[in-house]
Amino acid sequence: MRVFLILGLIVSLFNCENTPSKPKIAPLKQTVDTSTTSVATPEDSRPEYPVLNTKNAMDYFLEYEKEHLENKVRIVTDFGAIDLLLFKETKFHRANFIYLATRKYYDSTQFYRVINNFMIQGGSSDDKRTGLKRRNIGRYLLPRDTNRGFKHDRGTISMPSSAIENPHKLASPYEFFIVQQRGGAHFLNGDYTVFGKVIKGMSVVDKIAGVQTDNSDWPLQNIYIKTVEILE
């Protein structure tokens, strides 16, 4: 029983991430977990992957992005597929997304926050399996990269800041949101990193955005990400 209680605490730490708010963004406070202990999961027990942390993540992705030039991915959902082009200019964020897709992190996560005519946010879940995946991959943040000329236009994919309060709004690497708002959500510009755009499947984004939600914007019908496929 004690083991289950500890696991429950771990999951709660890793599933609480900040989200882009409309129209004001208020960071949440979260306990910092600096542990680098790897927890093996059935789908990923490969020893060749290091456990990432704030000290090694940037150096790791700097090398990873040179060897992994893929920039087109497909998010396969219950509602259909969403194809994305990831921008090479935002190299850390592109490499991070490709890395997590390669490690099958996104499989069985959810679009857990949906606001019609604003955005859909995914990459997390309320189950223990997702929390254990995060712990196995590591605890790290990504630098904000907002000076590349990309804006939060309709169809762009961006990365929310961490729930850990920090003045530089470092990005939470496991989660993302897709702007669904017609005309864009430009009040987010400068605060969050746009690192790609939808090139096919905006009708799927619109369908997801239109589902009924509870008072916390969580869809009443679970919307799962089945997998993220790397196209090229």
Side-chain angles (χ1 to χ4, degrees), residues 128-200:
K128 295 180 179 180
R129 194 179 194 85
T130 300
L132 290 177
K133 281 184 181 181
R134 290 190 184 208
R135 191 165 183 83
N136 197 44
I137 293 171
R139 180 73 169 173
Y140 62 100
L141 300 174
L142 294 178
R144 188 173 57 175
D145 193 359
T146 58
N147 296 319
R148 304 293 179 179
F150 303 123
K151 298 180 179 180
H152 286 83
D153 297 326
R154 172 174 161 84
T156 52
I157 181 172
S158 185
M159 194 170 290
S161 62
S162 170
I164 303 170
E165 189 169 357
N166 65 84
H168 303 294
K169 292 190 176 180
L170 300 178
S172 169
Y174 293 105
E175 299 178 63
F176 62 89
F177 63 93
I178 298 174
V179 177
Q180 185 254 349
Q181 183 171 333
R182 299 187 183 281
H186 295 145
F187 65 90
L188 299 176
N189 295 342
D191 286 334
Y192 302 99
T193 300
V194 175
F195 65 99
K197 65 180 181 180
V198 175
I199 55 176
K200 184 179 180 181

Side-chain angles (χ1 to χ4, degrees), residues 47-169:
E48 66 265 27
Y49 292 110
V51 177
L52 298 178
N53 55 49
T54 54
K55 294 182 179 180
N56 67 9
M58 292 303 95
D59 288 337
Y60 182 80
F61 285 126
L62 188 61
E63 294 302 315
Y64 189 89
E65 68 92 16
K66 295 176 183 177
E67 299 176 4
H68 298 269
L69 303 179
E70 303 91 340
N71 68 341
K72 290 183 180 178
V73 298
R74 174 171 293 156
I75 302 175
V76 182
T77 79
D78 293 335
F79 282 52
I82 305 167
D83 290 357
L84 300 170
L85 172 68
L86 305 181
F87 301 142
K88 62 181 181 180
E89 291 86 349
T90 50
K91 58 185 179 181
F92 289 114
H93 298 74
R94 181 193 64 81
N96 174 78
F97 198 87
I98 295 295
Y99 175 75
L100 294 180
T102 299
R103 295 200 62 175
K104 303 299 182 183
Y105 165 74
Y106 294 112
D107 294 13
S108 300
T109 58
Q110 295 172 255
F111 281 100
Y112 63 91
R113 186 171 185 243
V114 169
I115 302 177
N116 197 17
N117 198 31
F118 179 30
M119 64 91 206
I120 62 174
Q121 184 162 338
S124 190
S125 180
D126 58 356
D127 61 44
K128 295 180 179 180
R129 194 179 194 85
T130 300
L132 290 177
K133 281 184 181 181
R134 290 190 184 208
R135 191 165 183 83
N136 197 44
I137 293 171
R139 180 73 169 173
Y140 62 100
L141 300 174
L142 294 178
R144 188 173 57 175
D145 193 359
T146 58
N147 296 319
R148 304 293 179 179
F150 303 123
K151 298 180 179 180
H152 286 83
D153 297 326
R154 172 174 161 84
T156 52
I157 181 172
S158 185
M159 194 170 290
S161 62
S162 170
I164 303 170
E165 189 169 357
N166 65 84
H168 303 294
K169 292 190 176 180

